[in-house]
Amino acid sequence: MPRKELETLQLTRLKHLVDYCMNNVPFYHKRLTEAGVTADKIKCLSDIQYIPYTTKADLRDNYPYGLFAVPLKDIVRIHASSGTTGNPTVVGYTRNDINNWSDCVARFCTAVGVTDEDVAQISFGYGLFTGALGLHYGLEKIGCSVIPISSGNTQKQAKILKDFGASVLVSTPSYAMYMSEVAHEMGITNDDIKLRIGLFGSEGCTDALRDKIEKGFGLFSTDNYGMSELMGPGVSGECEHRCGLHIAEDHFLPEIINSQTGEVLPRGEKGELVITTLTKEGIPMLRYRTKDISRLHYDTCKCGRTHVRMEKVQGRSDDMLKIRGVNVFPSQIEDVMAHIDGISPHYELILTRKNYTDNLEVRIEINDVSLLESFSELERLQKEAAFKLKTVLGIQAKVTLVPPRTIQRYEGKAKRIIDKRNEEE
Ligand code: DLL
């Protein structure tokens, strides 16, 4: 669609969205009224700047269903991702939302050459995470034969990949890398497998890792991006030229802002990506602050698509970590620790990568030195902390208890995260 036509469509959808939010979500009604914004006030796309931002904290404060715009009767699916503290971020989809979602995913898969001849192995974990079911529906829409193997049990993954003749692999890039090494250890060579395309996302991937995966599996590796609050995968994806990820702009209106001041930045500048969902019915998002850092390119791509391209995500403006594809906030860990007697609020998170798999170690001070004399008490505390962390984070962490006052203190902002993951690559 020519950009002019696209922008007209976006404006019509934006005005409708403002009305829709005003009439169906009390939270937005209040926000928009306070800001003096009505659909009539939106005369051009840049008038979006008068609409207040929405943040993850707004979802948390309205947990679980407070931002839904329709009754649960009209919701056909619920997903969730990590919140900053105890409660997850909950999202709901109407039947139309699921249809649009499958379309968006089908689009980026098609843009890299996936067809109905393909057999796609989905190695994302099925569950509340949006990755697996999002890709599943999109690939089925194209007509692929989908293998919903889910994540884990890597030897079995490698065997199925070979035996079922999978031509498309869906996973995080780090898991793909690990799987290729396991496959080779099992004696499976690239001649034994039919893989041709990798649809990788949910976490960043350096060029070095991309090259290694391509060599390891003999496939063409592509990047796609999304987040639960906006839909899941399908917000953007690379085309065969891999020069940025095309955003599905008929469904998502992107902006780049200065994350410190909230000011909208001119086209082409780097900053925090903010997205407004133009068609979502279940839980529409007005100017959602993704906290992901990127840059937008509006010139037409070699592939002919007019949809804007976002650069690969270059980091976050907050402290969220992606560990084995799961969002982890240090504040969640702090929250867990605060509720365990015998543990102090001083901790350090150490991230390492072995066999392309992330490992998290949480080092925490005990608050009473006499505990060091009781092995059984220490073991009990350590088990309790590990169990509670697993429950909240959804991933296993190694807990190491250390004596009081052994973790460094900071006068300014504490440096609690020691990320050594890129040292392996
Ligand atoms: O990770 C959705 C998704 C699933 C996208 C599968 C692609 C494939 P969340 O769990 O809510 O949703 O995590 C969203 O993950 O804000 C980014 O920080 C990060 N992220 C997602 N895709 C990419 C990517 C899914 N391609 C958060 N590159 C986002 C870098 C990514 N980071």
Side-chain angles (χ1 to χ4, degrees), residues 81 124 129-131 201-204 223-229 232-233 292 313 316 320 322 327:
S81 75
F124 278 135
F129 175 56
T130 54
S202 186
E203 66 180 16
D223 187 10
N224 68 86
Y225 165 88
M227 68 194 303
S228 324
E229 295 90 316
D292 291 316
V313 172
R316 302 259 317 164
M320 185 184 95
K322 267 263 164 174
N327 302 346

Short mmCIF file of all heavy atoms in Angstrom, two decimals, residues 81 124 129-131 201-204 223-229 232-233 292 313 316 320 322 327, ligand 1:
data_model
loop_
_atom_site.label_atom_id
_atom_site.label_comp_id
_atom_site.label_asym_id
_atom_site.label_seq_id
_atom_site.Cartn_x
_atom_site.Cartn_y
_atom_site.Cartn_z
N SER A 81 2.53 -12.45 30.41
CA SER A 81 4.00 -12.45 30.47
C SER A 81 4.39 -11.88 31.82
O SER A 81 3.53 -11.51 32.61
CB SER A 81 4.60 -11.62 29.34
OG SER A 81 4.44 -10.25 29.61
N PHE A 124 9.22 -23.25 20.68
CA PHE A 124 8.92 -22.33 21.78
C PHE A 124 8.04 -23.09 22.76
O PHE A 124 7.26 -23.97 22.33
CB PHE A 124 8.08 -21.13 21.29
CG PHE A 124 8.85 -20.02 20.65
CD1 PHE A 124 8.41 -19.45 19.46
CD2 PHE A 124 10.00 -19.50 21.24
CE1 PHE A 124 9.08 -18.40 18.87
CE2 PHE A 124 10.69 -18.45 20.65
CZ PHE A 124 10.23 -17.91 19.47
N PHE A 129 2.96 -18.03 27.46
CA PHE A 129 3.85 -17.30 26.55
C PHE A 129 3.20 -17.23 25.15
O PHE A 129 2.66 -18.22 24.66
CB PHE A 129 5.18 -18.04 26.49
CG PHE A 129 6.18 -17.51 25.52
CD1 PHE A 129 6.58 -16.18 25.58
CD2 PHE A 129 6.73 -18.33 24.54
CE1 PHE A 129 7.52 -15.68 24.67
CE2 PHE A 129 7.67 -17.83 23.64
CZ PHE A 129 8.06 -16.51 23.71
N THR A 130 3.28 -16.06 24.52
CA THR A 130 2.60 -15.86 23.24
C THR A 130 3.33 -16.48 22.04
O THR A 130 2.74 -16.63 20.97
CB THR A 130 2.45 -14.35 22.94
OG1 THR A 130 3.75 -13.75 23.01
CG2 THR A 130 1.50 -13.67 23.90
N GLY A 131 4.63 -16.78 22.23
CA GLY A 131 5.46 -17.19 21.09
C GLY A 131 4.94 -18.41 20.33
O GLY A 131 4.78 -18.37 19.11
N GLY A 201 13.15 -15.34 17.29
CA GLY A 201 12.71 -14.11 17.93
C GLY A 201 12.58 -14.28 19.42
O GLY A 201 13.00 -15.29 19.98
N SER A 202 12.00 -13.27 20.04
CA SER A 202 11.77 -13.21 21.47
C SER A 202 12.99 -12.76 22.26
O SER A 202 12.89 -12.42 23.43
CB SER A 202 11.24 -14.56 21.99
OG SER A 202 10.89 -14.43 23.33
N GLU A 203 14.14 -12.77 21.63
CA GLU A 203 15.35 -12.24 22.26
C GLU A 203 16.26 -11.75 21.14
O GLU A 203 16.06 -12.12 19.97
CB GLU A 203 16.05 -13.32 23.10
CG GLU A 203 16.59 -14.45 22.25
CD GLU A 203 17.30 -15.55 23.03
OE1 GLU A 203 17.14 -15.64 24.25
OE2 GLU A 203 18.01 -16.33 22.37
N GLY A 204 17.25 -10.95 21.51
CA GLY A 204 18.17 -10.41 20.51
C GLY A 204 19.12 -11.50 20.00
O GLY A 204 19.26 -12.56 20.60
N ASP A 223 14.83 -12.74 11.75
CA ASP A 223 14.48 -12.20 13.07
C ASP A 223 13.04 -11.67 13.04
O ASP A 223 12.63 -11.01 12.08
CB ASP A 223 15.46 -11.03 13.34
CG ASP A 223 15.35 -10.46 14.74
OD1 ASP A 223 14.66 -11.06 15.59
OD2 ASP A 223 15.96 -9.39 14.99
N ASN A 224 12.29 -11.97 14.07
CA ASN A 224 10.97 -11.35 14.20
C ASN A 224 10.76 -10.89 15.62
O ASN A 224 11.35 -11.44 16.56
CB ASN A 224 9.86 -12.29 13.72
CG ASN A 224 9.69 -13.49 14.62
OD1 ASN A 224 8.97 -13.44 15.61
ND2 ASN A 224 10.36 -14.60 14.29
N TYR A 225 9.93 -9.84 15.76
CA TYR A 225 9.81 -9.14 17.05
C TYR A 225 8.34 -8.98 17.44
O TYR A 225 7.45 -8.86 16.58
CB TYR A 225 10.45 -7.77 16.89
CG TYR A 225 10.12 -6.76 17.98
CD1 TYR A 225 10.89 -6.68 19.14
CD2 TYR A 225 9.04 -5.88 17.84
CE1 TYR A 225 10.58 -5.77 20.14
CE2 TYR A 225 8.73 -4.96 18.83
CZ TYR A 225 9.51 -4.91 19.98
OH TYR A 225 9.20 -3.99 20.97
N GLY A 226 8.12 -8.95 18.73
CA GLY A 226 6.78 -8.67 19.22
C GLY A 226 6.78 -8.65 20.73
O GLY A 226 7.82 -8.88 21.35
N MET A 227 5.66 -8.37 21.31
CA MET A 227 5.54 -8.48 22.77
C MET A 227 4.09 -8.73 23.15
O MET A 227 3.17 -8.32 22.42
CB MET A 227 6.12 -7.25 23.47
CG MET A 227 5.39 -5.96 23.28
SD MET A 227 6.42 -4.56 23.81
CE MET A 227 6.75 -5.02 25.49
N SER A 228 3.92 -9.40 24.28
CA SER A 228 2.58 -9.83 24.69
C SER A 228 1.60 -8.67 24.76
O SER A 228 0.46 -8.79 24.29
CB SER A 228 2.63 -10.48 26.06
OG SER A 228 3.80 -11.20 26.21
N GLU A 229 2.03 -7.56 25.34
CA GLU A 229 1.11 -6.44 25.54
C GLU A 229 0.56 -5.92 24.22
O GLU A 229 -0.53 -5.35 24.16
CB GLU A 229 1.82 -5.29 26.26
CG GLU A 229 2.26 -5.60 27.68
CD GLU A 229 3.65 -6.18 27.74
OE1 GLU A 229 4.00 -7.06 26.92
OE2 GLU A 229 4.42 -5.76 28.61
N GLY A 232 1.95 -10.20 20.73
CA GLY A 232 2.84 -11.37 20.75
C GLY A 232 3.72 -11.24 19.53
O GLY A 232 3.89 -10.13 19.01
N PRO A 233 4.27 -12.35 18.99
CA PRO A 233 5.03 -12.22 17.75
C PRO A 233 4.11 -11.69 16.65
O PRO A 233 2.89 -11.86 16.74
CB PRO A 233 5.46 -13.67 17.45
CG PRO A 233 4.50 -14.52 18.22
CD PRO A 233 4.14 -13.74 19.43
N ASP A 292 11.88 -0.93 24.50
CA ASP A 292 12.89 -1.44 23.58
C ASP A 292 13.48 -0.29 22.77
O ASP A 292 12.75 0.59 22.31
CB ASP A 292 12.26 -2.48 22.62
CG ASP A 292 11.88 -3.75 23.35
OD1 ASP A 292 12.69 -4.22 24.17
OD2 ASP A 292 10.77 -4.27 23.12
N VAL A 313 16.34 -4.74 17.74
CA VAL A 313 16.30 -4.13 19.07
C VAL A 313 17.73 -4.02 19.62
O VAL A 313 18.48 -4.99 19.59
CB VAL A 313 15.42 -4.98 20.02
CG1 VAL A 313 15.53 -4.48 21.45
CG2 VAL A 313 13.97 -4.94 19.54
N ARG A 316 17.38 -2.17 26.06
CA ARG A 316 16.16 -1.76 26.75
C ARG A 316 16.45 -0.48 27.52
O ARG A 316 17.57 -0.21 27.93
CB ARG A 316 15.74 -2.82 27.76
CG ARG A 316 15.50 -4.20 27.21
CD ARG A 316 14.07 -4.53 27.00
NE ARG A 316 13.17 -4.15 28.07
CZ ARG A 316 11.84 -4.09 27.93
NH1 ARG A 316 11.29 -4.39 26.77
NH2 ARG A 316 11.07 -3.75 28.93
N MET A 320 14.85 -4.80 32.34
CA MET A 320 14.32 -6.14 32.05
C MET A 320 15.38 -7.00 31.37
O MET A 320 16.10 -6.54 30.50
CB MET A 320 13.09 -6.05 31.14
CG MET A 320 12.43 -7.40 30.93
SD MET A 320 11.04 -7.34 29.77
CE MET A 320 11.84 -7.81 28.25
N LYS A 322 16.13 -10.75 29.35
CA LYS A 322 15.52 -11.93 28.72
C LYS A 322 16.41 -13.10 29.07
O LYS A 322 17.58 -13.14 28.70
CB LYS A 322 15.50 -11.77 27.20
CG LYS A 322 14.22 -11.17 26.68
CD LYS A 322 13.24 -12.21 26.21
CE LYS A 322 11.86 -11.60 26.09
NZ LYS A 322 10.85 -12.43 25.52
N ASN A 327 10.97 -13.14 30.23
CA ASN A 327 11.25 -11.79 30.74
C ASN A 327 11.47 -11.84 32.25
O ASN A 327 10.62 -12.33 32.98
CB ASN A 327 10.07 -10.86 30.50
CG ASN A 327 9.72 -10.76 29.03
OD1 ASN A 327 10.51 -11.18 28.20
ND2 ASN A 327 8.57 -10.22 28.73
O1 DLL B 1 8.77 -12.44 23.31
C1 DLL B 1 6.88 -12.22 21.83
C2 DLL B 1 7.61 -12.99 20.79
C3 DLL B 1 7.56 -14.35 20.79
C4 DLL B 1 8.29 -12.31 19.80
C5 DLL B 1 8.22 -15.05 19.82
C6 DLL B 1 8.95 -13.02 18.80
C7 DLL B 1 8.91 -14.39 18.83
P1 DLL B 1 7.26 -11.11 25.56
O2 DLL B 1 7.55 -12.39 26.25
O3 DLL B 1 6.19 -10.24 26.07
O4 DLL B 1 6.87 -11.39 24.07
O5 DLL B 1 8.63 -10.31 25.50
C8 DLL B 1 8.70 -9.08 24.81
O6 DLL B 1 11.01 -9.50 24.27
O7 DLL B 1 9.84 -6.17 24.62
C9 DLL B 1 11.76 -7.36 23.66
O8 DLL B 1 12.51 -6.82 24.74
C10 DLL B 1 12.06 -8.85 23.56
N1 DLL B 1 12.04 -9.30 22.16
C11 DLL B 1 11.02 -9.86 21.49
N2 DLL B 1 11.40 -10.15 20.22
C12 DLL B 1 12.68 -9.71 20.09
C13 DLL B 1 13.64 -9.69 19.03
C14 DLL B 1 7.63 -12.06 23.12
N3 DLL B 1 13.38 -10.19 17.84
C15 DLL B 1 10.10 -8.55 24.82
N4 DLL B 1 14.86 -9.14 19.29
C16 DLL B 1 10.27 -7.32 23.96
C17 DLL B 1 15.16 -8.63 20.51
C18 DLL B 1 13.08 -9.16 21.34
N5 DLL B 1 14.31 -8.64 21.53
#
